[in-house]
Amino acid sequence: MSSVSAAPGARTSRWSVATAARSGLAAWVIVALLVLGLTVKDPSGFWAPANIANVLTGTVVLGLAALGQHLVVLTGGIDLSVGSMATLSALLTAILINGYPIRTLPVVLAMVVLGLLVGLGHGLLVSRAGLAPFVVTLATFYLLQGVAFMISTTPTGQVTSALTSIGLRRSGPIPWSLPILVVAAALVAGVLRSTAFGRHVYAVGGDRAAARSNGVPVSRTLVLAYGAGAALAALAGVVLAARATVGSPTAGQGLELSAITVVVVGGTSLLGGRGSLVGTLGGVTLLALVESSFTLLQLPATLTDLIRGLVILAAAAIFVTRTRR
Amino acid sequence: MSPTSAPLLLEARRLVKTFPGVRALDEVDLTCRRGRVHALVGENGAGKSTLVRILTGNMAPDSGEILLEGRPVRFHDPRDALAMGVTAVYQELTVLPDMSVLDNVLLGQERTRRGLLRRDDERRVARQVLARVGLEDVDPGARAETLSLANQQLVEIARALARQTRLLILDEPSAVLSGDKLESLFEVVRTVARQGVAVVYISHRLEEIGALADDITVLRDGRDVSSGDAAGYDTTRIIREMVGRDVDTVFPALPQPGREVVLKVRGLVPAGGHGGVPPIDLDVRAGEIVSVAGLVGSGRSRLLRTLAGAHPRDAGTVEVAGRRVRASVRDAVAAGIALVPEERKTDGLVLPLPVRANTTLASLRSVTTGGWLSARREREAFNLEQRRLQIRAAGSDQGTWQLSGGNQQKIVLAKWLRTQPSVLLLDEPTRGIDVGTKAEIYRIVRELAAAGMAVVVVSSDLPEVTGLAHRVIVCRLGRVVGELSGADITEEKVMNLALGLGEVAS
């Protein structure tokens, strides 16, 4: 119904759809519809604590990567290296911990710092050297994956039981890893809302020249945004390792595209300066829901990519503000 | 306060800035004193905006120095200038449409405590400065996009007021303001000056300058022609100094136009104009050159783009040699209308392509065989045009981006001449082009007219407007306010009409 009324000419409804997309509610509307559909189809299966926990677990890794992507996209950039960053971090986590509980915390912190450094590099290349974000992060996408393959071509290493239980255990429908995402999301939301840096992120993405003219520290803003983005991707890698219990040189493959997908589906403009975290989180939930319902409905997993493509296209057609000159 | 007793704040000395083909600033001096409003006047392209960009750290000068309270300063970034109390309100709005009014006002000067924004503090500051510019009714939480253009301009000024400012630069702040809004702007400027701030005020409206200015500097062709106490200037003097030139471009003799009306425009209303603009009628005969004058934003370019089908029309008809032309670029080209656009680097040329490809871009059929492009025929086509227009290029395969502005413009001309147009529309044909090539382009335009083409020229260059054409049409605020022909065409008369001063004796 809402998609029909958004046809050209329906001025007021187009406006309200645009508003819905801007506030990020649109993705949640689809989530609600999907939940409704799944409840009708298989109420006991869907609402079983194990299934809910499964859906929520699916949101954690994707959500962490998407939070970082959200920041970068708001500045008008893009980070294609998210998946490779997560892979490298997952691999290194398992190898460096190698079963020694005492190493858990230092290694996890080291991974976040590693991500931060990679991101700072992105930010400097984009802001100081003036390179296109797409190119810079495409290069590190290959570089980081290459480094991972140099370290090992097969799954290796061993995480500790502390990490494993965070990765795999649940209390009823709540997976133990969910608080990581909740805390990270709250932090990102708070920074965007209540710090000068947060404002600058929107300003730099909205109009870089205007931001510069008004004394916004453009370079510092870009460097911090890319830094935080890659650090969050590295954290996603740690969670990946915790869930797999070993480190795999392909752990995070494809994560960059999933992260971009949910940011776009959440209504954030790829041109920068406009977007809502609520929408991105809605996109995360939506994608996790779609993927888990394949198992629930016993559909062939090979259809995932097909459905994903349709979801993006539909979201772009209905919710994403069209860019015309 | 008398000019000498007011303390000196900023001194710019012998500033030079050169762009490829143009000397935008040529040893310009500017002196700003505390508590005084210094008006900077000059035609479009006289160098005012370049001067502003340098004073605000958006651009570095090639040479020259800036002294702030006697000490030399170098601004590498707008942040440096802002930190020293040099604040500007730019001609192009820098309001971010997706951010709230509050966030816009405090952009780059967020109030924080321990890293967190102090919203109450910010709201208080925003309300206070918004009230000072007459926007007390605006909700600081509203998205800036929802405000009218005039109110966005005032938000921009409020933003400057929220800063600790010692020098306030206003670059055409009044362009979109009128009535009450204009009054509150004046009041703000006067108050700020009374508080000891030095103000640089740039405007095309000479009556505002009379009302506000304490000092005046006139810029022309990148030089400061004169500078002094505003009491020593009247409108006539300002206009004379703005347009007067020491270098006269030689305009060849005008051939008599023919009788036949080639371009016939009736009741044309370009879409999206100012409300209540009367429809435009225009006849251009074969061999006639008509120029359209007016300030930037007076609707000149839109008129040309409408004629060329590149801008939609609300009403009216366009006929070329008796054939109705629909509002589409394809139909306009088919009817024989060619537009040489203002932005030659983005709208006129595909810079990365070789010159031959740009030359044949609008007439590809003439260099294809069975749908396949022939490089040989393309080279022949370019060589022909190169001889005809005296294009200075190393060869037909040279990259278009490597040519000078003047030769690039000749390529654009060549591209359209190959379509054998009967109506040639030129939008700022010599902007950014050196004097020598300018004269060549004038000669080419004359020859084309002599060969029977109907030519319409839009230009901000007054000698060009007056020297090149049989007739001059003057636009102001989207409407035609006057027409001059023959001996009536003088720079003073054109300027007076464009500024809306009517017929001031010159």
Side-chain angles (χ1 to χ4, degrees), chain B residues 331-350:
Chain B
D331 202 43
V333 171
I337 299 180
L339 169 67
V340 175
E342 180 176 10
E343 300 294 336
R344 83 179 148 260
K345 294 190 179 193
T346 52
D347 299 346
L349 292 167
V350 187

Side-chain angles (χ1 to χ4, degrees), chain A residues 193-194 199-200 214-215, chain B residues 79 110 117 119 122 163:
Chain A
R193 240 188 93 75
S194 304
R199 289 245 182 102
H200 294 162
N214 287 292
Chain B
R79 281 172 71 77
E110 292 80 7
L117 294 169
R119 292 192 175 277
E122 291 198 330
R163 289 183 181 277

Side-chain angles (χ1 to χ4, degrees), chain A residues 77-96:
Chain A
I78 196 160
D79 189 348
L80 295 175
S81 72
V82 166
S84 299
M85 185 68 241
T87 299
L88 184 62
S89 147
L91 189 62
L92 285 177
T93 302
I95 290 179
L96 294 178

Side-chain angles (χ1 to χ4, degrees), chain A residues 22 190 193-196 199-200 202-203 206-207 209-218 220 272-274 325, chain B residues 57-58 76-79 82 90 94 96 98-99 102-103 106-108 110 112 115-117 119 122 143 159 163 305:
Chain A
R22 192 171 286 142
R193 240 188 93 75
S194 304
T195 66
R199 289 245 182 102
H200 294 162
Y202 287 98
D207 186 339
R212 194 173 105 91
S213 299
N214 287 292
V216 170
V218 175
R220 191 203 305 164
R274 186 169 65 214
R325 49 172 275 163
Chain B
N58 278 289
H76 299 284
D77 187 276
R79 281 172 71 77
L82 289 166
Y90 298 93
T94 63
L96 288 148
D98 283 310
M99 291 179 95
L102 175 82
D103 293 354
L106 289 140
L107 181 63
E110 292 80 7
T112 55
L116 294 181
L117 294 169
R119 292 192 175 277
E122 291 198 330
R143 279 158 48 82
R159 181 195 277 162
R163 289 183 181 277
R305 289 169 49 77

Side-chain angles (χ1 to χ4, degrees), chain A residues 91-137:
Chain A
L91 189 62
L92 285 177
T93 302
I95 290 179
L96 294 178
I97 291 176
N98 207 13
Y100 294 98
I102 192 145
R103 294 186 187 168
T104 306
L105 195 61
V107 167
V108 169
L109 289 178
M111 287 306 109
V112 174
V113 171
L114 176 69
L116 198 65
L117 290 176
V118 169
L120 295 183
H122 289 157
L124 285 172
L125 286 170
V126 168
S127 67
R128 299 279 180 195
L131 298 177
F134 190 97
V135 177
V136 169
T137 58

Side-chain angles (χ1 to χ4, degrees), chain A residues 179-219:
Chain A
I180 302 174
L181 177 63
V182 172
V183 170
L187 263 175
V188 172
V191 164
L192 280 177
R193 240 188 93 75
S194 304
T195 66
F197 165 73
R199 289 245 182 102
H200 294 162
V201 164
Y202 287 98
V204 168
D207 186 339
R208 208 155 143 180
R212 194 173 105 91
S213 299
N214 287 292
V216 170
V218 175
S219 293

Side-chain angles (χ1 to χ4, degrees), chain A residues 210-299:
Chain A
R212 194 173 105 91
S213 299
N214 287 292
V216 170
V218 175
S219 293
R220 191 203 305 164
T221 306
L222 285 172
V223 167
L224 285 176
Y226 280 92
L232 282 161
L235 192 59
V238 171
V239 178
L240 275 175
R243 293 223 325 250
T245 71
V246 294
S248 154
T250 57
Q253 274 183 2
L255 191 58
E256 62 286 326
L257 293 183
S258 302
I260 295 168
T261 302
V262 297
V263 169
V264 170
V265 168
T268 296
S269 164
L270 278 180
L271 303 173
R274 186 169 65 214
S276 102
L277 203 55
V278 175
T280 293
L281 292 174
V284 169
T285 316
L286 178 61
L287 214 60
L289 204 54
V290 166
E291 271 164 33
S292 73
S293 44
F294 275 91
T295 5
L296 187 70
L297 301 178
Q298 289 169 337
L299 293 170

